[in-house]
Amino acid sequence: MSDAIVCLPSYNERENREAMRRAGAPLGGRVVVVDDRSPDGSGELADRRAAEWGFVCVLHRERLEGLGPAYRACYRRALEDGAELILELHCDFSHDPNDVPRLIAACESGADLALGSRYVPGGSTANWGVGRRLVSFGGSLYARLILGVRIRDLTGGFKCYRRRVLEAIDLEAIHSKGYAFQIEGTYRTLRKGFKVVEVPIRFADRTEGVSKMSRSIFLEAVVNVPRLRVAALRGRL
């Protein structure tokens, strides 16, 4: 798995510092941490762990711009480093690093993009209230119906891309900054004709740190999904 790199955005995730080690363990290394000047010192802690462990690389960005720009920066770095498989997962252990090999196996079996999915048979969530479940499932259903695709977990952020996908979908054209970035990345992948496979996972809510979900992030997704559909109908995707 030496040709795989894990992208790990880390803004104010000091409590979840062990995510760097656990994310790299199934791969035998190669984790790129992206820090947008976290005021809690996450970036400095990541630097210390990188010096200790060797398999961690840290990208420091000058300001907080959102999840999407952080992932784009990490993708570019992974491509420059020659990765053939580029993974993303949350730094808060809501995604189990032990599931990383399963996503990689899906790509090795023919998928161009493997999604860790909560909403296919075998997938689940844990430690969620009714409101959280409704927002998450409803968001994926909303996006699926408007975009006209069969993917059930469009908002999920546990993914494994083949290199050729990220080279084809024009990363600089993705302007979503919040969780809409996940929807847009998957939709652009499908529009290019690539094969997307959902791999069932158990998603457990974070036990440390604070969620980055906000009203503005939610509204961005509500607005951007119809825009993506219109762009596709006009042949711009």
Side-chain angles (χ1 to χ4, degrees), residues 88-115:
E88 60 174 70
L89 68 157
H90 292 176
C91 194
D92 58 11
F93 296 124
S94 54
H95 299 141
D96 186 351
N98 291 317
D99 285 330
V100 165
R102 297 176 58 230
L103 268 64
I104 290 178
C107 285
E108 291 177 338
S109 296
D112 296 302
L113 168 59
L115 303 177

Side-chain angles (χ1 to χ4, degrees), residues 213-230:
M213 176 59 77
S214 67
R215 181 181 177 85
S216 62
I217 288 174
F218 175 79
L219 291 176
E220 180 194 44
V222 170
V223 172
N224 278 13
V225 168
R227 286 178 176 172
L228 283 172
R229 181 61 172 168
V230 171

Side-chain angles (χ1 to χ4, degrees), residues 137-193:
F137 182 80
S140 285
L141 179 62
Y142 168 78
R144 179 157 51 101
L145 292 176
I146 289 181
L147 298 177
V149 300
R150 295 182 178 181
I151 301 301
R152 300 188 65 85
D153 196 349
L154 282 165
T155 61
F158 193 8
K159 299 181 174 181
C160 181
Y161 284 98
R162 282 190 174 274
R163 177 187 188 91
R164 62 192 180 210
V165 176
L166 296 181
E167 291 176 332
I169 64 175
D170 188 7
L171 293 174
E172 301 309 316
I174 302 178
H175 299 298
S176 299
K177 293 186 177 182
Y179 291 103
F181 175 82
Q182 305 296 359
I183 299 172
E184 186 169 352
T186 299
Y187 188 54
R188 286 178 178 272
T189 299
L190 290 167
R191 292 291 300 175
K192 290 291 186 180

